[in-house]
């Protein structure tokens, strides 16, 4: 599957992280698998394991995100996935407007493997909780490093401040689920 290179927002450079790549690892009628690879993870700060459960505010620490905007409208959904195993999902009617909790049929599965050279974050999201059909997709992450330093990584950035909700960040595509 296509590997997408994320870019740090220029106003918030990383401390040690040198690159982040994201990709879809698998996609079928049951699960969408995603992977983020962080290069030079020696200063990476991870939230403590907390078990699978919905939780708001995950973006305030290291967090991995996916945005999907179905073709033909301004509505979109956001998925926040934490190395702690906590997660959140929201629907929006337009950029940062009409926010509501998005129901998922079961908890996403989140796993983190970290070393000093690199770290891997894998997530599997139940396909039944995603929009049907094709969507514009944004992949992003907030990376916290030693000393509270945060960098904001996305496929593209649209403004002077980091904003993953900006449609300029939705630069790749998610196809409709396969029948497999």
């Amino acid at each position: 599957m296509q590997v997408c290179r994320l870019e740090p927002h220029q106003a918030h450079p990383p401390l040690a992280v040198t690159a982040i790549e994201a990709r879809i690892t698998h996609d079928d009628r049951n699960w969408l698998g995603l992977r983020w690879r962080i290069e030079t993870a020696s200063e990476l700060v991870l939230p403590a394991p907390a078990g699978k459960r919905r939780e708001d505010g995950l973006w305030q620490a290291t967090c991995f995100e996916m945005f999907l905007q179905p073709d033909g409208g301004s509505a979109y959904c956001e998925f926040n996935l934490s190395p702690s195993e906590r997660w959140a999902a929201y629907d929006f009617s337009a950029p940062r407007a009409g926010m509501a909790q998005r129901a998922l049929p079961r908890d996403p599965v989140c796993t983190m493997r970290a070393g000093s050279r690199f770290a891997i974050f894998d997530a599997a999201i139940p396909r039944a909780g995603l929009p049907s059909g094709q969507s514009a997709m944004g992949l992003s992450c907030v990376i916290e490093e030693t000393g509270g330093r945060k960098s904001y990584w996305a496929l593209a950035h649209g403004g002077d401040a980091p904003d993953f909700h900006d449609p300029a960040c939705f630069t790749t595509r998610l196809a409709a689920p396969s029948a497999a």
Side-chain angles (χ1 to χ4, degrees), residues 102-155:
R102 182 176 187 83
L104 293 183
R106 63 181 295 184
D107 293 331
V109 177
C110 301
T111 58
M112 185 84 199
R113 291 170 289 182
S116 61
R117 283 195 21 234
F118 68 90
I120 302 279
F121 179 76
D122 286 315
I125 302 170
R127 224 357 165 137
L130 304 181
S132 60
Q134 298 203 39
S135 297
M137 180 169 64
L139 295 169
S140 54
C141 59
V142 176
I143 297 296
E144 183 176 354
E145 294 180 276
T146 304
R149 173 79 143 294
K150 290 187 183 131
S151 55
Y152 302 86
W153 298 72
L155 296 171

Side-chain angles (χ1 to χ4, degrees), residues 62-99:
T62 296
C63 178
F64 300 86
E65 302 185 7
M66 178 181 68
F67 292 80
L68 295 174
Q69 184 175 39
D71 291 350
S74 59
Y76 64 97
C77 52
E78 172 186 8
F79 298 86
N80 299 158
L81 306 157
S82 173
S84 71
E85 294 187 283
R86 298 292 165 96
W87 61 274
Y90 309 98
D91 285 318
F92 293 86
S93 58
R96 294 199 176 274
M99 182 173 136

